[in-house]
Structure formats: C-alpha cells, structure tokens
C-alpha cells in the first residue's frame, strides 16, 4: 500500500460518510476514485471491494460482532463499529488478506482515530472472530425471516416482503444475486462498422468486451482501470448503462423523426438511447427536477455529440399545458425505492420502509398522471422503475389503467424471445436479479386511445 494514502483509512471515511452522514455510497466511492486516480489499480480495487463489501454485508457483519463482543454493534461508537465491520469483512470474505494484517491494521486505525483506549477491545474482538471462522451459526429455520436476513444481509422488512410477493425460491435467488459483483455494462453506439472498430480499440487497451444478453449492442466490460481513460468513453461511442435500462428505451421503440419526452431523465442514459433511435430528424426533450441533474444530462449529451437532445429543469409533478397531447412517446422512469439496484447501491436496503414505499407510490402516481397528459392520441407511454415492489409496479399499472384513457400493449415485439411470457404479452415485465442477467427493473407499455 502507498505511504501517502492509507487505503483502509480512506475506506473508513467513506463508510462513515454513508452510514453516519447519510451520503449515497456509489457517489462517495466514485468521488474518491476520481480524486485518487493516481493510486495503483490494485489499491483502487482493494478500496472499492472493502467499501462495497462492508456495506453489502453490514447485517451479517453485525450479527458476527454481536456474537463475539459484549457491546452489541448497535451500541458501539460509529468509528469503532465501522473499523470492526471492515475487519470482520476482511477476515471472512477477503482471502488474500492475512488475518494478522486485518487485525493489526484495524488496531492501528483505531489509535489513529483517537481511540487508543479501545485498541485492546478491537484486537480482542477481531482475534476471536479469526479463531472461530465457522461461528456463529445462522438462526434456525423456525426463524425463517431472521435466518434469511442474516444469510443474505438483507433487512427483515425486505426479506419478509419478497418472501410474500415472490416466494422463497425466487426471493433467495434474488437476494443471493445482490451479493455478487455486478458487471459494468455499456452500450456501443454507431454503425456496425463503427462498433467493430470500438471493440478493436478497447481490446488494444486491454479491455474485455463480452456481449451482454437481452439488449442490442450491450457489452460487459472488464479490465479497465478508469472510464475516463478510455477514448471510446470520452468520445461518446460508449455509454455506461445496464441492460434493463436499455430495454426501457427499446420498449418505447420511437420511430425516426418522433418527438419523445423523458420526464425523469437524469443521468440521461435512456434519453440518449432514445435520441439515437429517433435520429437526427427526431427530438428528445429530457427533464429533471434540479439544475445539477440536468447539468449531468447535458454533459453526457455533449460528450456523445447529440444535437437532437435538449435538457431542461422541470418538476414532473407539475402539469405542462404547452405539451398536452404533443409527444409521440413519453418515458416516465420515475423515482422509486430502487430495490432492483441494491447490488450496485447497497445502502438502499438500509433505508427501506413501508412509509417510504407509500410516499413514493403517491409521487409515482402524480408523475404518471402529468406525464400521460403529454402523450398524443395513438402515442405511447412507458412506465418504468428500478425496483421490485408490487405496490410501486403492478398496483400502479392497475391504478393507471382504471383512471386514464390508455390500454396496455404487448411488450413481446420489443423483447428477445427469452424474456417473453404471459406478463409481457399483457404489457409489462418484472426483471429480477438472480432470475434475469440484469438489474431489477419494471417496464410497462401503454397506448393512448383518445
């Protein structure tokens, strides 16, 4: 490790920013990696895995700590708790880290952070964990929700919810998938010949690009260090976007020359895909709530050289008489609980609650109501979320169809054969990690009758 930057201390500050200060994990980690671009690739990878892993396994790590510490994890000082979580994660899940290094570095870190009086406590707890690699045992089957919560480090609220909505087999597959490393997925732009040249260029930079399932021109990328170093990314020939997000744009299927409105567009991946689909004769208007979000859309559009995409600040909950019945296609990828992307943003699961779901459902319905007013007769409305929640997805579809002059339209013409089924034929699809090779995502397609 470099002498100038202590990677474990950097990880500790990142985890405290997320757990104590409420910052979003993916944004904090991204900002740190951008700030410390000069660090060797191995150290950057260690930092990323330590942060993400400690966050992902927080519930299980606390369960282990509670078995070996007289002070429960919930009662520890935040700094000591995060140091111990990091230590246990290294002991249990990072085989390349020697036990002695995990323990000793944790003790040193406690001292550096002003807790010399707790060095013995940190040392004792972690050495006990190291000496007993098989303990503690998971809760028994008679405590099913608690057992699965600990096994998959998932809050009991979500565990119980998915057991009820999905059944045990599917719920377990999904929760297990959240703990696996999610690949970086990107869409390659341009003609077939241009995409071929991009793939050759990436290979020349040591980047592996393997075709991803379901969506057109989607690839898993491996072997890169920093995206900004890739010429294809800087020139806008490569757009980072999960397959599930690409499918929302493909389900919209706007024709060349169409006018498309994207009402909750940041950071702009779907807007840019839609802009590619409508071509130079078409137009995409991308909106979001804040100037910061809109700035990100504009930056991405400029990087990709998209003159047919305009971004502006606009609250999706506010009606827009000027666009009433004007858009050929409207995409409403609404704010949601985000359960489908827990594998990439693990802190989402710790913020989940019934109250938050209820509040989001009300917001989603307001946005759907306003967005649908902008669809011209015969036009298409796409409703999508990145969550796995019947209240936010299927129940919102039923509510919308009861109150608006739209009919559901089969998604099958826009999906690959392996994604087609009874639900997609009825106009919606729920994608599930562990069942499908992508993030959790919901897509519904409606057509306006009048």
């Amino acid at each position: 490790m470099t002498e100038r930057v202590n990677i474990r201390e950097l990880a500790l500050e990142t985890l405290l920013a997320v757990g104590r200060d409420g910052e979003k994990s993916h944004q904090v980690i991204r900002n740190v990696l951008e700030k410390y671009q000069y660090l060797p690739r191995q150290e950057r990878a260690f930092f990323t895995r330590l942060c993400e892993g400690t966050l992902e396994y927080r519930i299980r790590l606390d369960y282990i700590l509670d078995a070996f510490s007289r002070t429960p994890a919930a009662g520890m000082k935040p700094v000591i708790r995060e140091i111990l979580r990091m230590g246990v994660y290294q002991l249990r899940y990072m085989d390349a880290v020697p036990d002695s290094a995990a323990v000793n570095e944790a003790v040193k870190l406690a001292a550096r952070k002003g807790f010399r009086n707790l060095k013995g406590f940190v040392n004792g707890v972690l050495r006990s964990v190291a000496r007993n690699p098989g303990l503690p045992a998971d809760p028994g089957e008679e405590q099913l929700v608690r057992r699965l919560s600990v096994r998959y480090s998932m809050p009991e609220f979500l565990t119980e919810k998915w057991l009820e909505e999905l059944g045990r087999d599917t719920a377990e597959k999904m929760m297990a998938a959240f703990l696996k490393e999610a690949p970086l997925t990107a869409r390659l732009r341009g003609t077939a010949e241009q995409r071929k040249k991009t793939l050759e260029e990436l290979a020349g930079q040591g980047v592996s690009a393997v075709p991803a399932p379901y969506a057109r021109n989607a690839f898993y990328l491996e072997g890169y260090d920093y995206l900004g170093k890739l010429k294809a990314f800087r020139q806008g020939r490569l757009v980072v976007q999960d397959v599930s997000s690409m499918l929302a744009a493909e389900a919209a299927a706007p024709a060349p020359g169409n006018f498309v409105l994207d009402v909750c567009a940041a950071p702009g991946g779907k807007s840019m895909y839609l802009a590619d689909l409508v071509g130079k004769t078409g137009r995409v208007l991308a909106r979001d709530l804040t100037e910061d979000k809109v700035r990100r859309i504009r930056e991405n559009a400029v990087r990709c050289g998209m003159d047919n995409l305009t971004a502006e600040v606009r609250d999706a909950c506010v009606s827009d008489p000027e666009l009433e019945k004007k858009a050929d296609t409207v995409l409403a990828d609404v704010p949601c609980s985000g359960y489908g992307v827990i594998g990439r943003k693990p802190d989402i699961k710790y913020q989940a609650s019934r109250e938050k779901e209820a509040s989001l459902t009300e917001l989603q319905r307001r946005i759907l109501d306003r967005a649908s007013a902008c669809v011209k007769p015969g036009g298409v409305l796409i409703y999508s979320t990145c969550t796995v929640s019947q209240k936010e997805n299927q129940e919102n579809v039923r509510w919308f169809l009861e109150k608006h002059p739209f009919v559901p339209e089969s998604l099958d013409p826009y999906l690959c054969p392996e994604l087609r089924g009874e639900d997609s034929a009825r106009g919606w699809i729920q994608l599930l990690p562990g069942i499908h090779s992508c993030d959790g995502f919901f897509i519904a397609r409606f057509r306006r009758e009048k």
Side-chain angles (χ1 to χ4, degrees), residues 298-354:
R298 290 172 180 154
E299 289 174 351
N300 283 325
V302 169
R303 179 174 58 83
C304 293
M306 291 184 162
D307 298 329
N308 62 343
L309 193 161
T310 304
E312 64 181 24
V313 176
R314 179 90 186 190
D315 186 345
C317 290
V318 177
S319 300
D320 186 353
E322 292 186 5
L323 285 187
E324 186 172 341
K325 297 184 178 182
K326 296 290 179 62
D328 297 288
T329 301
V330 173
L331 172 62
D333 184 54
V334 298
C336 67
S337 53
Y339 301 151
V341 294
I342 283 174
R344 300 179 189 276
K345 304 174 182 180
D347 46 309
I348 285 175
K349 60 187 175 184
Y350 306 120
Q351 302 163 2
S353 69
R354 289 182 178 83

Side-chain angles (χ1 to χ4, degrees), residues 168-210:
R168 179 171 180 175
D169 182 61
T170 299
E172 282 206 69
K173 286 179 179 177
M174 183 173 71
M175 291 190 289
F178 284 142
L179 294 175
K180 297 178 181 177
E181 184 177 0
L184 180 86
T185 313
R187 179 174 64 89
L188 299 190
R189 301 178 61 231
T191 64
E193 183 61 29
Q194 289 170 333
R195 294 195 300 272
K196 180 182 177 182
K197 290 182 178 179
T198 297
L199 289 172
E200 293 172 350
E201 178 185 294
L202 290 171
Q205 294 179 283
V207 178
S208 167
V210 179

Side-chain angles (χ1 to χ4, degrees), residues 154 158 161-162 174 178 334-352 356-357 360 364 384-389 392-393 430 433 439-441:
M154 189 63 62
L158 290 177
K161 170 187 176 68
W162 290 329
M174 183 173 71
F178 284 142
V334 298
C336 67
S337 53
Y339 301 151
V341 294
I342 283 174
R344 300 179 189 276
K345 304 174 182 180
D347 46 309
I348 285 175
K349 60 187 175 184
Y350 306 120
Q351 302 163 2
K356 187 173 183 179
E357 276 190 18
L360 283 166
Q364 291 154 359
S384 62
T385 74
C386 60
T387 198
V388 182
S389 170
E392 297 176 72
N393 296 336
Q430 175 70 73
D439 288 341
F441 214 83

Side-chain angles (χ1 to χ4, degrees), residues 9-282:
E9 187 169 6
L10 200 60
L12 173 62
E13 294 303 322
T14 300
L15 292 170
L16 288 170
V18 175
R20 182 187 62 194
D21 304 334
E23 297 186 41
K24 295 181 179 179
S25 62
H26 67 288
Q27 293 179 353
V28 180
I29 292 172
R30 181 186 63 210
N31 291 341
V32 171
L33 290 174
E34 288 180 355
K35 180 178 179 179
Y36 293 95
Q37 291 178 36
Y38 60 84
L39 288 173
R41 180 175 174 181
Q42 182 179 4
E43 293 189 6
R44 289 160 54 85
F46 180 85
F47 163 80
T48 302
R49 184 178 174 190
L50 183 55
C51 289
E52 292 179 346
T54 303
L55 281 168
E56 287 172 342
Y57 283 87
R58 179 188 293 176
I59 291 173
R60 186 166 187 85
L61 298 177
D62 286 357
Y63 180 74
I64 295 170
L65 285 173
D66 287 349
F68 292 100
S69 169
R70 292 182 179 180
T71 302
M76 295 177 184
K77 297 180 183 298
V79 173
I80 295 300
R81 181 169 58 235
E82 291 298 351
I83 289 174
L84 285 172
R85 285 171 174 168
M86 288 167 51
V88 175
Y89 180 75
Q90 292 169 77
L91 291 170
R92 291 290 172 93
Y93 298 104
M94 298 184 74
D95 295 338
V97 178
D99 288 358
S100 58
V103 175
N104 293 337
E105 290 300 321
V107 172
K108 293 177 184 177
L109 193 51
R112 273 201 301 277
K113 290 301 177 181
F115 293 94
R116 287 187 171 275
N117 59 320
L118 293 177
K119 286 171 57 179
F121 171 70
V122 170
N123 182 70
V125 170
L126 292 181
R127 290 197 180 279
S128 294
V129 173
R131 286 194 299 267
N132 298 275
L135 297 176
D138 289 351
E141 280 286 327
E142 70 280 1
Q143 305 177 68
L144 180 60
V145 172
R146 177 63 173 156
R147 178 182 178 84
L148 299 183
S149 172
V150 168
R151 176 178 294 175
Y152 300 110
S153 198
M154 189 63 62
E156 292 187 19
F157 160 63
L158 290 177
T159 303
E160 186 173 27
K161 170 187 176 68
W162 290 329
L163 284 172
E164 179 181 342
E165 293 183 0
L166 304 174
R168 179 171 180 175
D169 182 61
T170 299
E172 282 206 69
K173 286 179 179 177
M174 183 173 71
M175 291 190 289
F178 284 142
L179 294 175
K180 297 178 181 177
E181 184 177 0
L184 180 86
T185 313
R187 179 174 64 89
L188 299 190
R189 301 178 61 231
T191 64
E193 183 61 29
Q194 289 170 333
R195 294 195 300 272
K196 180 182 177 182
K197 290 182 178 179
T198 297
L199 289 172
E200 293 172 350
E201 178 185 294
L202 290 171
Q205 294 179 283
V207 178
S208 167
V210 179
Y214 310 146
R216 299 190 293 269
N217 308 319
F219 292 84
Y220 294 139
L221 301 187
E222 293 182 353
Y224 67 95
D225 180 22
Y226 174 62
L227 276 174
K229 293 181 180 179
L230 300 181
K231 185 178 179 181
F233 177 79
R234 296 196 305 272
Q235 294 183 346
R237 291 178 281 122
L238 180 158
V239 177
V240 175
Q241 187 176 20
D242 188 70
V243 166
S244 57
S245 175
M246 298 181 209
L247 290 176
E250 293 182 5
N258 276 181
F259 167 48
V260 179
L261 172 64
D262 186 354
V263 297
C264 302
K270 288 180 285 295
S271 296
M272 290 190 288
Y273 198 170
L274 292 166
D276 280 338
L277 293 174
V278 300
K280 294 182 179 180
T281 59

